[in-house]
Amino acid sequence: MSSANGVCRTLLGAAVWLAGAVALAAGPAPPAELHVVDHPNDAGTALDLRWQLSPDDQPDVTPRKVLRYDILRQAAAPGAPVPANGPAFQVIGEATYGAAKFTDPNCVRGTAYWYQVVAVAPGGGRSLAAASTAPAVPVMQLFDATRLWFGLLLGVVCLLILACIARARSGRPMHMRRIAGLEAVDEAVGRATEMGRTCLFVPGVQDINDMMTVAGLTVLARVAQTAAEYDSRVEVPTSRSLVMTAARETMQAAYAAAGRPEAYREDSVYYLTDEQFGYAAGVTGQMVRERPAACFYFGAFYAESLYLAETGNLIGAIQIAGTAESSQLPFFVAACDYTLIGEEFFAASAYLSGEPQQLGTLLGQDLGKLLGAALIVAGSVLATLGQLGPDGGSAAAGLRYLMNSILGSG
Amino acid sequence: MTSLTPAQIRVIVATDCGSTTTKAILIQYLDGQYRQTHRGEAPTTVEEPVADVTVGVVNALTELGELAGRRLIDDAGQIIRPATADAGCDIYISTSSAGGGLQMMVCGVVREMTGASAKRAALGAGAIVMEVLAANDRRRPHEQIQRIRELRPDMILISGGTDGGNLNQVVQIAELVAPAKPQPRFGGGYKMPVIFAGNRDAAPLVQQVFDDSVDLAIVDNLRPVLERENLGPARDKIHDLFLDHVMAHAPGYDKLIAWTDAPIMPTPGAVGNILETIARRQKINVVGVDIGGATTDAFSVFDGKFNRTVSANLGMSYSISNVCAEATLPSILRWVHFDMNERALRNRVKNKMVRPTTIPQTEEALVFEQAVAREALRLAYVQHREFATALKGVQQQRSVGDAFRQTAGGQCLIDNMRLDLLVASGGVLSHAPRMQQTAAMLIDAFEPEGVTTLAKDSIFMMPHLGVLAEVHPQAALEVFEKDCLVYLGTCIAAKGRGKPGRECFQYAVHTETGTITGAISCGEMRVVPLLPDARARLDLHPARGFDLGAGPGKPLECEVRGGTVGLIFDGRGRPLELPADHAACQALTSRWVAALDLYGGRATAAPAAS
Amino acid sequence: MSQAYTPGLKVVARERLRRRRVLPLPGEVLVQAGQRVAARDVVAHSLMPGDVTPVNVANLLSIAPGEVPRAMLRHEGDRLTIGEPLARSQGLFGLFKTECPARIAGTIESISSVTGQIMVRGEPHRVLVDAYLAGEVVEVLPESGAVIEADATFVQGIFGIGGEAFGPVERACPDPAHDLTPALLTPAMRGAVVVGGARVTAEALAAAVRLGVAAIVTGGIDDQDLRDFLGYDLGVAVTGNEPVGLTLIITEGFGDIAMAERTYQLLAARAGAAAALNGATQIRAGVLRPEIVIPWPDMQAASAAPVAAGGVLRRGATVRIIRDPYFGVIGTVGRLPAEPQVLGSGSKARVLEVVASSGEVFIVPRANVELIES
């Protein structure tokens, strides 16, 4: 097999060589001064080629004398002399007319390569090859300098987070914006207690693999703990069996944390149906019959959001909702007493636990977002200034730098 | 009880039986209006060896009669009624706080809902609430029972559940109270009065829980639905039981009850009553404070909603050490404009605590005592604001526009910007040697915003007028306006913050005699004298970012009244913040002391050690 | 006020004292009228009803509250021991029955079908009342206690912490102006009532607790030392139950202040005698001051009648100035001007002259002195 392969290669090389020799007379003038250098900021897998265009490759001459440039390559054995034109050079790519550079992305790190560039005329006539004078070896760079800014920004955000965590751990009081919706949990459960009714908790229609469902269960822990303290009942209808199991675990832990494990009833968390509207119908039906005094909607919601929230409003319950599903937010905001919007919902777990690590992370991330916002503002200002001036001037240069160097490759 | 119509009442005698003195006032109908004409006082005689409150009352009325040249007590020791040209009175009324006032324990299901409503009902009736027991107060049931057994309240109020609502937990609370067998404070002479004002469905069950060792009264639910409070029936019942049980068992009160023409009210209840009446009649927002030796009472009426709180351990003598412990000494010393030795101060505070009747002899001691008063008032007001909130547990109405400003339920009712009248009473405030000192203490502690009238109760007459308002509102209001309040002036304070020295607002004071204009810079205070009966029109132009009531930077025109101090322009900004640096703070307070002329000529110089 | 009524602290060498010793609830009295009792003899005892613990049987058995009475195995009035079955659910067709054992001992007081909980009252506590005052029982209060009378040296302090204590009087400081320091305390003072002089230091208090001293009586204490000793800042002067290991009574006040000479001499003269004292202080309406009672072994027939506390200021009366700037000065009353005078603070008040033993004259508000009664 290997010998057959070798024969094939030799034959092919000979054919190319022959073709070159045939076209010699009719070929365009050759390109010159081929330089091959390592491609910067990579893992040593590419080389950059530059050459001077063939003198026949003129943009204003028609018909064109040069159609393209063929790039030929040969891997060199270490210490081998400069190879002559021969079948060992293979075409690995081509550049169009007018192009004087090429990047060969398919190199193996540490291997030396020889290159040749041949101008090809429309009729197929080939010029003499411009050859590299020394073998080029692709080298791996440890750092990708184009990502320097990105690395820097990332580092800053990480440091901020670490600093914030350290700050939180040091016991210094951290201000966290009050999330009215979570503060109101006590009020809602209290209302249910005073009125002798139940609390209803709806964890959404998605399965446990959805981030929103997980965040919703964090809130459930809080609701259940409050309910346990107030000795009020929480009902949790679920639309996925796994969510039911997770919710049961959460509730049990919450009742234990409140010091009333005996008050926990497993059957207050139950499964209705996987069917989206079957579930919505089941829950709303129950709302109308039992008239809970507090309804909580935390998780992923779709079209059923308005059915639930509107029914809850109708029965006079205090309603608190939280979802990151932006299309459903307006419905919740309008129909519920309190709504946790997007990020707030995810921040809830940090807010509820009050753990320094979570609080610090939250603060650090917020500072990172602030940084991002600052870059956007700076970009907008530069772009505006660039449009105002005749040629943009330094503002345009600044914008370019911002876009290409700071953000572009990030 | 008198059968006279209000128009026939011309001479009114009122007493307030305090824990140390019984104060009597005489109100007469002269020249077409009611005026308070004389006052007399005598030591209260509730304790041994006399043990009959009426002896003190007779002594006080005798002194009052001598001063007024009108015989009030006949030879048999009875009040002469009705009035003749030179003897007797048409009606006699009284309040009482002797023996520590009315002490209550209240219970509710949720502390912030029915618990808070029950507390409001008890406080409004003039009681001191010793404990709020609730299903969610995080105490185990046996701890709650232990607590009930330790306390010896005069009365217990149980609420919980809306009508048709919670049943189980309401009965559970009753089940906690019943076996604890709470003992009334004044010994075994009578049964513990228990008022049930909760879910009406639970009433029969609660009745079963209690045996006849307590005197159970059932009244309408004080929170029939969460959206509405109905405190009236519970409050009235507290007053009734206060008379029937608590008062009737205090020495001599059975006689006093027979003497009066209107039910005896607990003193703070009466004070609340008159403030509520004033606020309602004049359609203004009022905050009142009464700072005593052991406790500080705060009252507020905002948009017709009345609230009262008692800060049980904030006071100027018995509780002075507690004020220092709660506020911390550095916070108190920020109001003192010269250096003081901390160790000596701490010992002095404790000495005042163990010998509460002493009075400051030196200016240094006075400055310190007034600094303590500022902190006590500030803390009492903080507690008041925490309690004076809208009802909790109420459904909110929202629109999509509310997405980013969702306000929580149970917002504070108190808004300093909308406050119209701030009334001070209590020794350290009403007996301050200079009126400026009273005004400064009020402004520093309450931080009124915008335009606020400041007044003090001249001779602690509000309790008397509170009872009178029940019988003869017109007389009560006339006397309140003319004789009870001493107007200190009007405080004009800008809300907002600015760099010291920057302009805060400009003013023009138009009076009958001319116009005074000027500008106040940030951090500055200035007094413009305006006599007590004078009125002036103000044109105010706040700088950008400052609010005087019309909105940030918006000009305001208003009419204000003068007072013994005058108009006080306050450019210190709100919320008021003093520099943390000790020296900077002293320099600043020295400037304010000088601006208000608080302590006479030696204002800024540190007084001699003696 | 028409007359100057001034609170005062009693310091008397001999006085007929009466003490009512009563139980907080009805019980049995163990002494008879005329009987002589020692300070620690028990005069009455009673059983205080035990603590009540609610047990929610409905939750424990997962049944409706209405079913609880039927599920109960024990009934109202029954005694419970820990671990015995308390209630059993009916289960499904007699199967799957659940049982709940009693977790506390006591008596079932009530069973509720509304809330599903039962009330269990624990074992009663024994409450004892001792005589406190060594003397003679003059009256027996049926079912509640006794009145005891004795002649005693009686000293009221201004402030104290800790409850009742007993022990022989031991003098530690050589004179009343001497601070009470650890060096003055000896192991021999174990169980004694130590009489100091001026200020007691925090170290001395700690040393006294280590040595097992029963009580300390001295002139003053620094607020900081008190705070260190108690572990918190005392806000309101209502004391008597501090678990600090001894009873402390301050006779004059806070700060560097010497015990009044007379008080010191009186206590020093009774060195070795058995004293009873109570640090309980309550400065509120119905003021309660700490006291030191040192009964005399005999009763004199012609002893003075009890005098009501408090008295009238008159020329020549001994008073103590109780407020800065002259805090602690003891002297006699000089002139008593009738008209109010303006004080340094700017307020007006009625004043008096106090002539100190050095001959110096101080003018102070009348509210700022207290009578030292004799």
Side-chain angles (χ1 to χ4, degrees), chain C residues 122-157:
Chain C
E123 295 301 325
H125 310 292
R126 190 148 183 256
V127 187
L128 303 176
V129 169
D130 53 24
Y132 180 66
L133 181 65
E136 189 183 317
V137 177
V138 290
E139 190 187 341
V140 169
L141 309 164
E143 292 194 350
S144 73
V147 179
I148 297 153
E149 204 173 82
D151 278 1
T153 301
F154 182 62
V155 175
Q156 273 185 322

Side-chain angles (χ1 to χ4, degrees), chain C residues 114-197:
Chain C
V114 181
T115 61
Q117 63 183 5
I118 65 165
M119 295 285 170
V120 181
R121 197 176 279 278
E123 295 301 325
H125 310 292
R126 190 148 183 256
V127 187
L128 303 176
V129 169
D130 53 24
Y132 180 66
L133 181 65
E136 189 183 317
V137 177
V138 290
E139 190 187 341
V140 169
L141 309 164
E143 292 194 350
S144 73
V147 179
I148 297 153
E149 204 173 82
D151 278 1
T153 301
F154 182 62
V155 175
Q156 273 185 322
I158 189 72
F159 172 78
I161 54 173
E164 292 178 358
F166 307 90
V169 176
E170 289 257 13
R171 192 170 66 162
C173 293
D175 66 81
H178 205 287
D179 280 357
L180 182 56
T181 52
L184 296 170
L185 298 167
T186 61
M189 291 175 178
R190 185 181 180 83
V193 173
V194 173
V195 176

Side-chain angles (χ1 to χ4, degrees), chain A residues 178 180-181 186-187 190-191 193-196 229-231 258-260 312-313 316-318 330 333-334 336-339 341, chain B residues 109-110 112-114 135-136 138 140 161-162 165-166 169 226-227 392-396 398-400 403 406-409:
Chain A
R178 287 177 64 244
D186 288 353
E187 204 180 331
R191 180 181 170 90
T193 312
E194 291 283 7
M195 295 177 71
E229 277 165 16
Y230 285 40
D231 200 7
R260 313 188 50 141
N313 196 310
I318 287 192
V333 170
C336 294
D337 296 48
Y338 303 93
T339 311
I341 299 168
Chain B
V109 168
V110 176
E112 296 78 15
M113 292 173 196
T114 47
N136 68 325
R138 289 167 196 237
R140 309 296 297 166
T162 55
N166 197 320
Q169 277 161 294
L226 283 173
E227 284 73 15
K392 289 199 178 147
V394 175
Q395 201 189 14
Q396 312 276 319
R398 303 265 187 221
S399 70
V400 178
Q406 303 177 6
T407 47

Side-chain angles (χ1 to χ4, degrees), chain B residues 141 146 149 168 172 175 179 318 321-322 343 346-348 350-352 354-355 358-359 361 366 369, chain C residues 49-51 54 112 115 117 121 222-223 227 233-235 252 254 283 289 322-323 345 363 368 370:
Chain B
Q146 200 56 39
R149 289 173 69 164
N168 188 327
Q172 223 162 41
E175 281 176 0
Y318 302 105
S321 173
N322 193 57
R343 185 190 151 213
R346 286 185 189 280
N347 284 330
R348 270 185 217 174
K350 285 281 188 300
N351 280 324
K352 168 102 183 179
V354 295
R355 294 183 167 100
T358 60
I359 59 174
Q361 183 175 1
L366 181 78
E369 201 152 303
Chain C
D51 298 333
S112 169
T115 61
Q117 63 183 5
R121 197 176 279 278
D222 206 89
D223 172 51
R227 203 177 332 168
D233 193 4
L234 193 74
E252 316 298 308
F254 288 85
I283 305 171
R289 295 283 184 186
I322 54 172
R323 175 115 193 193
S345 63
I363 296 180
N368 292 1
E370 75 187 4

